[in-house]
Amino acid sequence: MSMRRTPPQSHDMTCEQAVGLVTAYLDRALSLADSDRFEQHLAECLHCREHLKQIEAAILVTGEIRADDLDPLAREDLMDLYRHWRDDAFRP
């Protein structure tokens, strides 16, 4: 997925910013203003709507996994994967 670095005309959120807010949005942890901005972005961005759907589907399939459910080595492997993805995704 190619992420938009500049926001659409009607709001001020980029795809990179939206992707970074998905988890907080699903956890209902965003402020009302941020939630509104996120939803405005989704209304205009097919790619981010699809990303949100994929994350929701992954949550449904995996259920709730707690940190204690993971072997410490598996947890560290997952954290390393996330760090590498994050560094690559947000590198200019």
Side-chain angles (χ1 to χ4, degrees):
M1 172 174 91
S2 153
M3 287 204 255
R4 182 181 317 145
R5 295 196 186 281
T6 57
Q9 300 296 62
S10 65
H11 60 84
D12 61 353
M13 183 176 291
T14 66
C15 293
E16 291 167 322
Q17 292 167 329
V19 166
L21 294 176
V22 167
T23 302
Y25 177 77
L26 291 173
D27 287 342
R28 299 189 188 334
L30 293 178
S31 69
L32 183 58
D34 286 340
S35 184
D36 286 346
R37 286 179 53 236
F38 181 80
E39 289 172 355
Q40 287 174 353
H41 181 86
L42 291 178
E44 296 179 8
C45 183
L46 173 65
H47 297 295
C48 286
R49 284 195 306 270
E50 286 301 316
H51 177 71
L52 178 64
K53 287 179 188 177
Q54 290 171 0
I55 298 301
E56 289 172 323
I59 291 168
L60 286 174
V61 170
T62 60
E64 184 177 319
I65 298 174
R66 299 177 312 226
D68 293 344
D69 294 337
L70 294 174
D71 175 274
L73 293 175
R75 183 178 188 283
E76 191 57 35
D77 285 347
L78 288 172
M79 292 302 294
D80 285 342
L81 280 171
Y82 172 74
R83 286 183 199 107
H84 289 282
W85 169 85
R86 183 191 61 204
D87 292 345
D88 290 345
F90 294 102
R91 184 173 293 130

